[in-house]
Amino acid sequence: MEKVLYRDARNYVPIDVIKGIDHLTGQTVMADKEAPKDYEAMPKCKNCNSFKAEGEQMGICEGSMSDPKFFAYPDMVAVTCEMYANK
Amino acid sequence: MAKKLKEVLADAGISMDLQSGGKAPEMMVDREVKRAPHPRVKKLKDIYMDTLSSANDEFTYWYTREYMMHDSEIPVIRRAKALKTAFAHSTPAIYPGELLVMRKASYFRGSFPMPWLSEGFYMAHEDEFYQEALKRGSASVDEHSKFGQGGGNVTKSFGKVVSIAGKFGVRQEEIPAMLKLAKMWYGKSVDDLGNKYEKMVPEYKTKEQIMRSIICMFDSGYTLPQGREVINYYYPLEYGFDGIIKMAEELKAKVAGKADGDGMVGMNRLYNYEAVIIATQGLQKWVNNYAKEARRLDKITKDPKQKEEYKGIAERLEWIEHNPPRTFIEAFQMIETIHLAVLNEDAISGMSPGRMGQVLYPYFEQDIEAGRITEDEVLELLELDRVAKTSIDCFASTGVVGGVLSGNTFNNLCVGGLDKDGQSAVNRLEYLILEAGITMAMPQPTLSVLYDEKLPEDFLMLAMEVIKCGTGYPAFMNSRTAQEFLTKQYGVEGMNLEDVRAWAIGGCLETSPGVWKPLHLNGKEYWIPGGAGQPTSVGVHFISMPKVLELTLFNGVDPRTGEKVYEPHNKKLGTYEEVWEQFKLYWQKTCEVLALTNNIQHDIWRKNNMAVINSYLKPDCLDKGHLINELGYRYNGTFSVESAGTITLVNSLAALKKLVYDDKEVSLKTMKEAIKDNFGFKDAREVNSFSLADQEIREDAADKWEKLHFKALQAPKYGNDEKYVDDILLAWENFFCEDATKYESLYGFKMYPCQISVSTHGPMGSATLATPDGRLSGTTFADASMSAFPGTDRNGPYALLNSAATWDQAKSQNSQLNIKIHPTATRGIEGSKKLLDLTRAYMRKGGFHIQYNIVDSKVLQDAQKNPRNYRDLMVRVAGFTQYWVEIGKAVQDELIARTEYEGV
């Protein structure tokens, strides 16, 4: 299983840009620290089938209805995206 | 070591000891009243206190993505679709211990940019967009505005966090998308389009100069285009979201294809109702996403109590997603949701809950009677609301959020006032609201008492107890004065006596119109108040009165920048009357140009960025089928001309009159030289203190100006019940209150005067040279509009009240008077009674607003030196309460220097 940072973990809720709460333990944790091994990844564009990377922090959302396709960025949370599909 | 002004004066036997009416104890004295919140609330507050202001791209991204897809759609539909998509895709963030949920963005203290309003200010300073904003003058004030260096402000980038506008932390990973999104709005935002068309105003160049010289603080139409108003929760409470959609569907069918005699906008009703439906569906999805998250958390949580709470949250959200609330907690959740929804619709400060205790009272009364809730549980919810409201941030430029708002968002909660039938509107829930202000001392919602002689004495005494917490709230606003103003301003729109009584404060101090609506709960009817007016504090923003005087003296040229702002008047200014007349002409030129250019900005806003959600909440949009942009609100004459630096101007005029014209002690030429040379002192920014007493004399100046400066400081000063200077205030108010009505808003109504400083007295002082009253270059102006300049009110508080009440305050939307009192002066029941007597005396004289900082100045001095020890310290600035550490130094210095009353 790949390493997951807290900020990329499903059960992490950010308080601010550097820290958040681990819903499984109730503890405040640092966003950029590694989460325990079995932690589920947060749906983010970078984990989505429809995301096509273009450059370092940029890409295209193939699921977009726009013409041309609208951009997307890898770090965006996609829990509410109806088109999200795990890679 | 350069000598400070206070040392120079001490050598001359004059003390700048700014205590009046006695001597403060040597020891630091803490505030008298302190109580603790419920444990769960304390935990959430602790999270807040260690939280950074954070922003992300999510709402911005989805809004832009949807909006850009519909370029051939009718603007209101395009906007509604963009809002729907943005709300529907906002990631829910629920924190353990919360009972009332939902956030602006997926952070505890989150916000996001709205490049559809303005995008230049958060670009890198070398970026062409930012440079363009500087040229226009819309970013000039950023250079004079500073955030407090502590608290949650991200003033510098660090690690993987980028500081934006000196306040907001954004993850590095979000920056490329943030900039890409901003650039997509270039030429399309309200700021850019507004600028394209405001340039067609013949005197646009003067406007640019006015902004660059910081005569005016900021533009109106794209910065905070809504707010300083009272929200209306009635429709969602009475009908629920499904009911609103059903109503809009029925009305849509009724108006489709019909002009009904209105050939201009009658047909638009169809699109407006459709927009209401689309936007409401977005809100429902947003609520639903939170409900799903609560269900998910229930599943993964082991703690049985927390599981139950998540379940309860989910059930309440699932209910209010469709239906009107049935209980107090459901109604509270509904209004929290609506409040945040409106704040996400636009860049807004001052969206006030208004008379929330009267809105929620029906649910409170019935739940208490039925035993469904206890008063202690209600108190806990009110405390939780204080954490939620304090966590509300508004993403805007440094000049706006730092220079004007001091990071505050002014969610003003009003208690008291009169009911529909003219009796005291105080209820039991409002006692608990005041109590929560003590137990959960946080800046938001700030509290205001709508004072009337009919309010119960024990209620007023409780309000005094709250003030003695030192939180700077509740403020006291005079119902009688406000009602006179409302009748005068809104009579033309049909305001009757009942509606007059429904008023409340929008923002920090803005008298805002309201209406009564009948709420039905379990067969019982209650008349609840709510907002019914457009935003206030829009139109002509904050004109620096001392700066206009400066340009009067210097023939239309800004001596700081060397740029010509106004056409030279080429007058000799041989008499005081000539100065006064010329000052008024430059003032009028400023208002005239700014009214025209800001009208254009607001007109672009109403065409492309109109409020849909906030609009349909406000009577009578749903009835009429017209939103804010088509005069759907019941009251639309809400635009104003805002003044700043009143007392610094009045003192300056008094000094000029006395020294130059009446006593002829100095020529105008010499006075101007002294002003340009800053009376021989260094500039405040060089000294890094914005308080007069701390200014340092320049070595090269020796005693060149000492005598004149001394005379300027000794000239008559406002706040001492002295006719010489109070008559100047009266002349100004009589002119201003009449003159403001000469400018017309884009909605076709006369403007009115608005007299609040918010935090503008800091940056505006920073951009103004020394003034004839002896104030030195760069130092902060007098606070608010009726507060005395620090250390100049030496005849006690009642003399100050007399000076302030010189003029008819009902002619203005507001006025502001803040007083600093040492805690020992209000100790015990006797102290509370004295404070109430003082307040009442001012209200009886027709004063509109008074508020107190009950704090030992030594505490403030220590807090400035050791901010880490004072994260929790709150103070009153102008019309709001804020954490000391989040306020810029210029305003902190003024607060420290302000006269401390040792007795009332």
Side-chain angles (χ1 to χ4, degrees), chain B residues 331-355:
Chain B
F332 214 155
Q333 178 63 66
M334 176 63 104
I335 68 169
E336 296 288 74
T337 302
I338 294 297
H339 203 83
L340 293 170
V342 169
L343 290 174
N344 274 5
E345 189 184 24
D346 215 351
I348 293 177
S349 71
M351 182 53 65
S352 295
R355 292 156 77 163

Side-chain angles (χ1 to χ4, degrees), chain B residues 619-764:
Chain B
D620 302 301
C621 287
L622 279 176
D623 296 337
K624 292 181 186 169
H626 295 298
L627 304 180
I628 182 170
N629 50 342
E630 294 165 357
L631 300 178
Y633 289 14
R634 190 170 298 182
Y635 300 110
N636 300 283
T638 57
F639 281 52
S640 63
V641 178
E642 289 170 345
S643 59
T646 309
I647 296 311
T648 298
L649 172 87
V650 167
N651 287 344
S652 296
L653 286 173
L656 274 180
K657 189 172 188 299
K658 180 85 179 152
L659 300 178
V660 178
Y661 299 105
D662 287 357
D663 296 353
K664 296 186 175 39
E665 296 215 37
V666 60
S667 69
L668 183 62
K669 185 169 171 280
T670 307
M671 177 61 96
K672 280 165 62 179
E673 278 171 23
I675 287 171
K676 261 186 132 167
D677 200 31
N678 197 26
F679 292 101
F681 282 76
K682 296 176 186 172
D683 184 83
R685 286 201 284 180
E686 193 186 335
V687 179
N688 193 31
S689 169
F690 303 89
S691 160
L692 185 60
D694 291 338
Q695 298 311 298
E696 294 173 5
I697 199 152
R698 287 197 324 268
E699 281 175 20
D700 67 309
D703 55 358
K704 187 178 175 190
W705 302 112
E706 195 177 303
K707 205 170 159 194
L708 176 59
H709 192 218
F710 176 79
K711 283 180 180 167
L713 291 169
Q714 295 297 104
K717 297 284 185 283
Y718 161 86
N720 295 295
D721 198 10
E722 194 175 335
K723 191 169 163 38
Y724 189 89
V725 65
D726 291 351
D727 278 352
I728 292 174
L729 171 65
L730 179 63
W732 156 254
E733 293 295 352
N734 285 342
F735 160 72
F736 178 41
C737 293
E738 177 60 30
D739 188 67
T741 66
K742 291 180 181 154
Y743 312 100
E744 188 190 49
S745 78
L746 69 157
Y747 294 106
F749 291 94
K750 287 176 178 181
M751 295 192 189
Y752 53 74
C754 169
Q755 307 194 46
I756 55 172
S757 73
V758 202
S759 306
T760 60
H761 50 305
M764 283 188 155

